[in-house]
């Protein structure tokens, strides 16, 4: 039987506010346990929350960024459950009246096709603390520790409609969402620190069937790679199960990215009744038109608009434009390189080639690249004006990367890499190569005309070698032809 996969995602995005959603405690990552938790975050008796207006603004910007309705009256509710890292005994979240209503995120797939994924809604909530179990807690054994630094960190939870049909679409969606929130500057996008966490709801149904199958939810995937692997594994598990006569049960599952193992966490029967009710300590959030207009005016250029502009202004391919507009830092670097070099195509090639290879190999973010956009632009200028060949340019890039010089011109000067364009010098070199390879010259002249263009490559190679790559390849080609054919 043929099966179709149905996927809906729920994504927790940590908002990049300085302080927590209901308290003045700092949100910075990596502080010593419980040094960034105040009375509110500890849930001490008598505490009263105060809403962080910046978190509200960021949620509104997200809504504007996905063409969503903003709910001008939205309400915080209490979701009641017990867990040691939730000292208040409830999470403050939104249910009936979330801040962001229906919207959409559009994705581009590898075959160039596009698809719009509907967003059901997005709501504001607070994060819980962290339980540190044996081994990870001060080296103590048989004990667990609670770190409440993360308690009260502002989150938006984004819920998609079940519009996604396979792992590739899920990853494209996740990357697009990452691009949207980092462009808006509402999230630092650092997935390794948990700034974006994905829950994937997966079901399968026979191809052609209208009704959805029973879904499972795999929680807390914090990399695109893990998400893809978890989906592929769960789809296979469900199909195998059904084909063997079993049925999928609705359950919450865990996936361990390091071991690639998945297991059930709890079934629907064990699910909590959260007894939601509007939080009596917090007034409804009322968003007036002037606030909305002010935030609209602050909106940056969104990735889709940026991509369209890159295609129109710089004549980039759809593929190149997609990659270069995907995150703000890459887009900024690209535009600065174009300004410095005046050549968009070469800038695109170098950024997606040599630069990104070096950044990946060394796990360095583009914003921290040792070769700045100005440096790369200066290098590209020298390729364009024929001072150096593309091949020598890679050598120059390497020296810039190592930090030995701070401009391409300084490297070219210091290492004597300037391209040889002096006709006399090139002719002398060619004469020597031809004299040293008399047999090949004879073969060449004896060959049919249409075979010759292939054979000339040998002589070009010898000349480039003799000049240590510095001879102008175009001139070498031209003079060689004259001498051999003429
Ligand atoms: P609940 O009310 O139990 O939270 P929702 O209807 O809000 O469930 O859906 C939660 C998430 O699961 C959404 O992202 C939704 O798109 C997705 N989802 C719902 N039904 C299915 C299904 N049959 N298969 C895959 N995903 C689904
Ligand atoms: Mg729901």
């Amino acid at each position: 039987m043929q099966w179709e996969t149905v996927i809906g995602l729920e994504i927790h995005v940590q908002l990049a506010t300085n302080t927590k959603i209901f308290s003045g405690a700092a949100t910075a990552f990596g502080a010593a346990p419980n040094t960034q938790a105040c009375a509110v975050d500890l849930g001490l008796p008598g505490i009263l929350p105060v809403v962080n207006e910046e978190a509200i603004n960021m949620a509104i910007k997200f809504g504007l960024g996905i063409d969503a309705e903003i709910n001008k009256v939205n309400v915080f509710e209490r979701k009641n459950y017990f867990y040691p890292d939730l000292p208040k005994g409830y999470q403050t979240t939104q249910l009936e009246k979330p801040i962001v209503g229906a919207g959409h995120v559009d994705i581009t797939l590898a075959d160039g096709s596009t698809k719009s994924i509907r967003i059901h809604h997005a709501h504001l909530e607070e994060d819980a603390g962290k339980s540190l179990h044996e081994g990870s807690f001060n080296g103590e054994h048989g004990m667990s520790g609670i770190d409440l630094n993360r308690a009260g960190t502002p989150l938006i939870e984004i819920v998609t409609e079940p519009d996604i049909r396979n792992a590739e679409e899920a990853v494209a969606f996740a990357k697009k969402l990452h691009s949207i929130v980092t462009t808006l500057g509402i999230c630092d996008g650092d997935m390794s620190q948990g700034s974006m966490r994905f829950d994937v709801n997966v079901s399968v149904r026979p191809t052609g069937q209208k009704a959805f199958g029973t879904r499972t939810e795999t929680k807390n995937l914090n990399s695109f790679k893990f998400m893809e692997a978890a989906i592929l594994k769960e789809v296979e598990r469900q199909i195998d199960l059904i084909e063997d006569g079993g049925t999928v049960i609705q359950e919450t599952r865990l996936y361990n990215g390091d071991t690639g193992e998945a297991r059930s966490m709890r079934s629907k029967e064990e699910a909590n009744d959260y007894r939601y009710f509007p939080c009596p300590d917090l007034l409804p959030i009322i968003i007036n038109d002037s606030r909305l207009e002010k935030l609209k005016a602050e909106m940056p250029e969104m990735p889709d608009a940026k991509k369209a502009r890159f295609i129109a202004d710089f004549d980039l391919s759809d593929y190149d434009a997609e990659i270069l507009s995907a995150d703000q830092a890459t887009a900024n670097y690209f535009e600065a390189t174009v300004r410095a070099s005046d050549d968009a195509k070469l800038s695109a090639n170098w950024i997606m080639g040599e630069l990104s290879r070096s950044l990946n190999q060394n796990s360095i973010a583009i914003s921290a690249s040792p070769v700045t956009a100005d440096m790369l632009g200066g290098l590209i200028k020298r390729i364009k004006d024929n001072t150096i060949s593309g091949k020598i340019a890679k050598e120059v890039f390497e020296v810039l990367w190592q930090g030995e010089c701070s401009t391409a011109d300084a490297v070219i000067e210091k290492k004597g890499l300037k391209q040889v364009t002096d006709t006399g010098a090139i002719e002398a070199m060619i004469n020597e190569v031809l004299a040293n390879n008399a047999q090949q010259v004879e073969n060449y002249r004896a060959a049919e005309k249409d075979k010759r263009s292939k054979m000339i490559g040998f002589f070009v190679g010898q000349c480039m070698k003799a000049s240590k790559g510095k001879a102008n390849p175009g001139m070498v080609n031209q003079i060689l032809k004259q001498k051999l054919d003429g």
Side-chain angles (χ1 to χ4, degrees), residues 187-232:
C187 174
D188 67 17
D190 192 333
M191 299 187 49
S192 68
Q193 293 180 357
S195 295
M196 272 181 100
R197 283 129 44 194
F198 293 84
D199 300 345
V200 296
N201 297 274
V202 176
S203 66
V204 297
R205 62 181 171 187
T207 304
Q209 178 183 306
K210 261 224 150 80
F212 290 145
T214 303
R215 73 173 194 267
T216 65
E217 179 178 12
T218 302
K219 281 202 176 289
N220 262 327
L221 300 160
N222 67 350
S223 84
F224 301 132
K225 228 163 81 191
F226 291 167
M227 187 176 79
E228 183 176 26
I231 291 172
L232 292 174

Side-chain angles (χ1 to χ4, degrees), residues 94-405:
Q94 299 187 309
L95 182 72
E96 297 295 335
K97 295 192 172 109
I99 186 161
V100 175
H104 64 97
V105 169
D106 300 340
I107 57 172
T108 304
L109 299 164
D111 65 4
S113 63
T114 58
K115 179 167 177 176
S116 190
I117 308 295
R118 290 170 302 155
I119 303 296
H120 180 271
H121 78 274
H123 61 262
L124 271 163
E125 62 185 28
E126 61 182 343
D127 210 343
K130 258 185 203 162
S131 299
L132 306 169
H133 297 300
E134 195 183 340
S136 58
F137 171 58
N138 275 354
E140 298 275 352
H141 292 284
M143 296 179 77
S144 288
I146 306 289
D147 177 6
L148 291 170
N149 283 353
R150 202 180 63 185
T153 297
L155 305 174
I156 43 172
E157 180 176 337
I158 302 154
V159 182
T160 77
E161 296 287 356
D163 286 349
I164 298 167
R165 289 292 171 270
N166 54 50
E168 188 206 347
E169 290 181 11
V171 172
F173 173 85
K175 288 187 173 166
K176 189 57 171 284
L177 199 63
H178 185 270
S179 160
I180 289 171
V181 298
T182 52
T183 299
L184 286 169
I186 62 170
C187 174
D188 67 17
D190 192 333
M191 299 187 49
S192 68
Q193 293 180 357
S195 295
M196 272 181 100
R197 283 129 44 194
F198 293 84
D199 300 345
V200 296
N201 297 274
V202 176
S203 66
V204 297
R205 62 181 171 187
T207 304
Q209 178 183 306
K210 261 224 150 80
F212 290 145
T214 303
R215 73 173 194 267
T216 65
E217 179 178 12
T218 302
K219 281 202 176 289
N220 262 327
L221 300 160
N222 67 350
S223 84
F224 301 132
K225 228 163 81 191
F226 291 167
M227 187 176 79
E228 183 176 26
I231 291 172
L232 292 174
K233 197 175 175 90
E234 177 58 11
V235 168
E236 190 178 276
R237 187 190 72 88
Q238 290 187 12
I239 293 174
D240 284 350
L241 187 64
I242 300 170
E243 288 188 341
D244 288 348
T247 43
V248 175
I249 54 163
Q250 192 173 338
E251 62 182 356
T252 305
R253 297 179 63 82
L254 286 176
Y255 176 81
N256 183 329
D258 298 322
T259 62
E261 274 162 39
R263 64 176 171 85
S264 173
M265 190 167 95
R266 61 176 130 81
S267 72
K268 196 186 177 189
E269 287 72 47
E270 301 160 59
N272 288 301
D273 172 3
Y274 293 117
R275 296 170 291 128
Y276 281 93
F277 62 87
C279 181
D281 289 344
L282 289 160
L283 289 168
I285 307 295
I286 308 218
I287 299 163
N288 59 29
D289 288 339
S290 68
R291 182 175 193 172
L292 214 50
E293 288 313 313
K294 185 168 173 289
L295 290 168
K296 271 185 194 162
E298 286 173 24
M299 288 290 283
E301 183 181 38
M302 296 306 289
D304 285 342
K306 201 184 285 292
K307 178 179 167 183
R309 180 168 61 82
F310 282 3
I311 293 172
D313 288 4
F314 301 131
D315 207 20
L316 294 186
S317 69
D318 199 272
Y319 178 82
D320 290 2
E322 175 85 15
I323 291 181
L324 293 168
S325 63
D327 74 278
Q328 191 71 31
T330 305
N332 290 345
Y333 189 102
F334 169 67
E335 293 202 77
T337 309
V338 176
R339 274 195 299 275
S341 68
D342 207 22
D343 191 311
K345 187 66 200 155
L346 276 178
S347 297
N349 290 348
W350 275 83
I351 291 168
M352 294 190 302
E354 212 65 15
L355 180 75
S356 76
R357 206 166 16 255
S358 303
L359 293 171
N360 287 342
Q361 268 165 17
N362 297 285
S363 304
I364 297 175
I366 195 163
S367 52
S369 171
V371 177
T372 63
D374 274 343
M375 288 156 86
L376 185 60
L379 174 64
I380 290 169
K381 260 186 164 161
R382 294 297 161 257
I383 304 171
K384 277 183 53 159
D385 69 10
N386 276 326
T387 307
I388 52 173
S389 66
K391 199 157 167 222
I392 294 284
K394 290 191 176 162
E395 261 181 78
V396 177
F397 179 88
E398 190 53 34
V399 177
L400 289 174
W401 181 270
Q402 297 303 337
E404 227 181 281
C405 298

